[in-house]
Amino acid sequence: MSEELEVKELEDVVVRFSGDSGDGMQLAGNIFSTISAIVGNDISTFPDYPADIRAPQGSLTGVSGYQVHIGESTVYTPGDKCDVLVAMNAAALRTQYKYAKPTAGIIIDTDAFGPADLKKAEFQTDDYLKEMCIDPDRVVACPITRMVKEALVDTGMENKSMLKCRNMFALGLVCWLFNRDLDLVFGFLHKKFAKKPDLADANIKVVQAGYDYGLNTQASIPNTYRIETREKKPGRYMDITGNKATAYGLIAAAEKAGLKLYLGSYPITPATDILHELAKHKSLGVTTVQCEDEISGCASAVGASFAGALAATSTSGPGICLKSEAMNLAVIDELPLVVIDVQRSGPSTGMPTKSEQTDLLQVLYGRNGESPMPVIAATSPTDCFDAAYMAAKIALEHLTPVVLLTDAYCANGSGAWKLPNIDELPEIKPHYATADQKYKYTPYIRDAETHVRYWAVPGMEGFTHILGGLEKDGATGAISTDPENHHKMDYERYTKVASIKVPDVEVLGDKDDADLLIVGFGSTFGHLYSTMTELRKKGCKVALAHFKYINPLPQNTAEVLTKYKKVVVAEQNLGQFAALLRIRINNFVPYQYNQVKGQPFVVNELVKGFESLLTTPEIEEEGLYYDTKIIQ
């Protein structure tokens, strides 16, 4: 064994696992992020996988990646580029090297770099490192496939089953590199494969082999690394994805409101995990139905809401198109409903495993008639819990459908989440009909201040009523085509939503004297916050106003956005939030930074773009911007 290496302490590190879709990169990355969270590191992850069910082995289109950023204190993004790249085959190296820093260490399985592999990956020569201008000194070239087979030779496993364990060897090597406790890995594997103990033992054996390989050979590197935890906050933590956090938020809201939870859904990437997670919790009063299509998923949820449940339906952009008629039924019936839109790249099928913020105007305006609906956008994977909880609270207390926007990046990514105390969560009081309305109840009697109607559910004696898609008389609840009544009902539904009180938008950074205000919404918070931080380190006066509540907007929105000389709205679409702000705020024309790549923002690119904006003289007319400038 070689002499013990020096252990260097790092503030943070980014690791990217990549290989064929069948190579288990998502699992390896998930285990590494989970054990990092257990020891107290903050984490942010980004699974990046293809839409192919199973692309040809070794092909460029079939590469799956999982990037994890771990830090001694809070980390806000999965990182622009990685410090360590694991490339399990030639195609992974070819496609993923662009995500590596120039100084990154690279771990490869040399057994997957044969002539056929290199041809599939479109290499022109056998010297693939030279062809890609990669310094060999930065590469840990290990015959992973051969060593996995040697480690499992006595298990009696088939060759195909052995190959599925290659990811665990890479994980073991990475755990050695960052001084991770293997007992945490072993515990994870025992739990995951509890019903298949032989498989758990095989994976554990391979993890140990990878760790020992690094320890015994020192893997051609000068030192190993450790990321300590600087900010320890007492509590129970777990590594949680956005979709799971969304499911937990709905369960908590139902518990707090004293209601059963119903989810009507149809499988669709990347929202299906919400259905999968909620289906596990029948013991908590959760009912899930995998419906025959998107329309019935939403329509059944409307029915469940009428029956008195906390009702939800989950989907992505294409499903929102199909659900729009049933969503409108919930609007005119004024029933509580949570509609979860996990946005993905469009239009049409688009890039179903990639992420965008392109459904904003659809959920705001994509229905016939005057159809106001509150919209909330989760800001991170862990914030999905709070956003789902608040969406349910608003729906139940204001008797309205509410849209919760997440996206593929937010929903599939994960973070270290402190489990909340349900007793400390905000109270939820459904707006029920009152006892003095018995036998006098009509469905559109309203609270004079909030314009919210009173909710009566089947089984409440003396509160018999009918709801439906035809307009009703506001006083009697009977079908009405009276023009004055219709105008009044439209106005009441609009005013009810517009009157919902949401928290003020907070300004971070140089809020009193910023030369530039960055504005965003939803899942881009981490990237925009990191950008603001980097610009401030450079001496720039910059602030950030990030929106979670989209409709209604916070009451201080106009005050905040008109306070600064330069405002840039950054979003992963072609300007939808900027358009909404121009509609809502008189004479407000911001600069725009728009990308629609299906990938998260890159902080370094944002810094460069906003730096150029800071040095550009603004064009003014009577103190206002004359025209919008889109920063490329």
Side-chain angles (χ1 to χ4, degrees):
M1 183 183 295
S2 303
E3 294 183 7
E4 186 173 349
L5 297 176
E6 176 188 358
V7 179
K8 294 184 65 175
E9 288 196 10
L10 301 175
E11 292 184 358
D12 67 314
V13 71
V14 178
V15 181
R16 189 175 182 95
F17 296 85
S18 63
D20 267 329
S21 292
D23 283 344
M25 294 296 97
Q26 307 295 320
L27 177 60
N30 179 246
I31 295 175
F32 186 66
S33 63
T34 297
I35 63 175
S36 298
I38 289 173
V39 299
N41 295 143
D42 199 34
I43 63 170
S44 177
T45 71
F46 174 51
D48 189 14
Y49 52 92
D52 308 53
I53 294 175
R54 183 59 60 85
Q57 187 174 11
S59 64
L60 295 174
T61 59
V63 175
S64 175
Y66 189 103
Q67 186 158 306
V68 55
H69 184 185
I70 60 177
E72 64 178 16
S73 55
T74 305
V75 295
Y76 294 96
T77 76
D80 286 356
K81 294 195 173 185
C82 63
D83 301 284
V84 175
L85 172 65
V86 177
M88 297 297 287
N89 62 17
L93 182 64
R94 168 68 82 183
T95 60
Q96 305 297 297
Y97 182 64
K98 62 186 176 184
Y99 299 117
K101 295 176 181 177
T103 57
I106 302 170
I107 299 171
I108 65 172
D109 179 4
T110 54
D111 293 329
F113 281 77
D117 304 305
L118 295 175
K119 184 177 181 180
K120 286 182 183 178
E122 299 181 4
F123 282 99
Q124 304 302 311
T125 67
D126 292 338
D127 194 348
Y128 48 89
L129 296 180
K130 182 178 180 181
E131 191 172 327
M132 295 191 68
C133 300
I134 298 174
D135 181 358
D137 291 338
R138 293 193 289 113
V139 178
V140 178
C142 173
I144 293 178
T145 299
R146 178 170 58 83
M147 298 192 74
V148 168
K149 290 180 179 180
E150 290 177 358
L152 299 176
V153 68
D154 297 328
T155 63
M157 294 176 67
E158 296 179 353
N159 185 66
K160 185 177 181 180
S161 298
M162 289 183 181
L163 294 179
K164 289 182 179 180
C165 297
R166 293 165 63 241
N167 59 333
M168 293 297 104
F169 190 97
L171 174 64
L173 186 51
V174 172
C175 285
W176 165 77
L177 185 60
F178 293 102
N179 286 275
R180 290 307 187 205
D181 184 352
L182 287 191
D183 286 340
L184 298 175
V185 181
F186 299 162
F188 185 103
L189 292 170
H190 277 304
K191 184 176 180 180
K192 180 173 179 59
F193 299 112
K195 295 182 180 180
K196 299 179 179 179
D198 291 343
L199 188 56
D201 291 341
N203 279 281
I204 287 170
K205 195 170 186 179
V206 174
V207 170
Q208 186 70 61
Y211 187 95
D212 291 344
Y213 176 86
L215 184 65
N216 293 329
T217 67
Q218 296 186 359
S220 306
I221 62 171
N223 41 254
T224 60
Y225 304 92
R226 179 169 54 234
I227 300 95
E228 294 289 356
T229 303
R230 301 300 181 196
E231 300 175 5
K232 294 185 178 180
K233 298 178 181 178
R236 295 180 63 196
Y237 288 81
M238 66 180 292
D239 176 16
I240 195 169
T241 65
N243 275 338
K244 180 176 284 191
T246 299
Y248 286 3
L250 294 175
I251 293 172
E255 176 75 18
K256 198 75 171 181
L259 297 175
K260 300 290 187 180
L261 173 62
Y262 174 90
L263 179 79
S265 188
Y266 180 76
I268 183 172
T269 301
T272 308
D273 285 341
I274 298 171
L275 172 62
H276 289 168
E277 183 60 38
L278 287 177
K280 301 174 183 177
H281 299 291
K282 293 179 182 178
S283 63
L284 298 176
V286 180
T287 299
T288 56
V289 176
Q290 179 177 317
C291 298
E292 64 268 29
D293 54 36
E294 295 282 4
I295 299 170
S296 58
C298 189
S300 68
V302 174
S305 179
F306 177 77
L310 169 55
T313 186
S314 55
T315 189
S316 189
I320 292 291
C321 298
L322 294 166
K323 292 181 189 292
S324 62
E325 185 176 6
M327 291 166 66
N328 239 357
L329 178 61
V331 170
I332 198 167
D333 286 349
E334 298 186 56
L335 285 169
L337 174 69
V338 178
V339 180
I340 304 151
D341 179 5
V342 186
Q343 300 167 96
R344 72 188 205 187
S345 295
S348 187
T349 307
M351 299 189 297
T353 62
K354 307 304 179 183
S355 184
E356 290 175 0
Q357 294 181 302
T358 45
D359 293 350
L360 178 60
L361 293 182
Q362 178 181 209
V363 299
L364 285 168
Y365 302 119
R367 296 170 296 280
N368 66 294
E370 291 293 338
S371 183
M373 199 173 291
V375 176
I376 299 175
T379 59
S380 70
T382 55
D383 183 59
C384 285
F385 175 89
D386 298 303
Y389 186 91
M390 292 308 297
K393 176 178 169 68
I394 290 173
L396 291 168
E397 294 184 344
H398 297 270
L399 292 192
T400 178
V402 178
V403 176
L404 169 58
L405 286 176
T406 68
D407 52 47
Y409 161 71
C410 196
N412 291 326
S414 66
W417 179 60
K418 183 180 179 182
L419 276 64
N421 183 338
I422 194 166
D423 293 334
E424 297 175 357
L425 295 174
E427 189 176 26
I428 298 179
K429 289 185 175 181
H431 198 251
Y432 287 123
T434 59
D436 63 341
Q437 295 170 346
K438 189 174 182 179
Y439 297 117
K440 298 181 291 184
Y441 174 80
T442 59
Y444 295 107
I445 299 173
R446 298 178 185 276
D447 180 283
E449 181 179 350
T450 64
H451 301 265
V452 179
R453 78 175 188 91
Y454 292 89
W455 191 19
V457 300
M460 293 175 62
E461 183 181 354
F463 292 87
T464 303
H465 65 286
I466 297 174
L467 299 178
L470 291 172
E471 184 66 277
K472 303 297 191 297
D473 185 280
T476 68
I479 294 172
S480 172
T481 57
D482 179 71
E484 295 302 322
N485 176 76
H486 179 56
H487 173 81
K488 179 181 178 181
M489 293 295 278
D490 269 336
Y491 178 80
E492 293 282 9
R493 289 186 287 261
Y494 169 81
T495 305
K496 177 181 70 171
V497 172
S499 300
I500 295 171
K501 295 179 180 178
V502 301
D504 282 350
V505 63
E506 184 181 3
V507 181
L508 305 172
D510 299 305
K511 58 183 179 181
D512 295 323
D513 58 351
D515 296 319
L516 174 68
L517 176 69
I518 303 169
V519 175
F521 78 95
S523 66
T524 58
F525 170 76
H527 294 84
L528 297 181
Y529 183 88
S530 299
T531 299
M532 178 194 71
T533 301
E534 291 302 313
L535 287 169
R536 294 180 73 200
K537 288 178 181 178
K538 292 172 175 278
C540 301
K541 292 287 187 179
V542 183
L544 170 66
H546 203 82
F547 287 78
K548 177 175 179 176
Y549 295 89
I550 309 299
N551 192 41
L553 287 166
Q555 289 188 348
N556 68 333
T557 298
E559 176 188 351
V560 167
L561 298 188
T562 57
K563 178 180 177 180
Y564 303 92
K565 286 187 176 181
K566 285 186 178 181
V567 180
V568 58
V569 180
E571 47 190 320
Q572 291 182 299
N573 56 49
L574 295 181
Q576 296 185 23
F577 189 49
L580 175 67
L581 294 174
R582 289 198 299 270
I583 290 172
R584 300 285 176 86
I585 303 172
N586 291 334
N587 300 316
F588 176 68
V589 184
Y591 289 81
Q592 293 178 207
Y593 186 98
N594 307 120
Q595 281 188 0
V596 199
K597 297 181 177 180
Q599 294 287 328
F601 280 141
V602 175
V603 171
N604 186 50
E605 293 176 359
L606 290 169
V607 169
K608 290 180 180 177
F610 296 164
E611 273 186 317
S612 66
L613 180 55
L614 280 163
T615 58
T616 302
E618 65 268 24
I619 303 172
E620 297 186 3
E621 182 179 288
E622 298 180 356
L624 300 172
Y625 297 119
Y626 181 73
D627 198 4
T628 298
K629 178 178 179 180
I630 298 179
I631 306 170
Q632 296 292 339

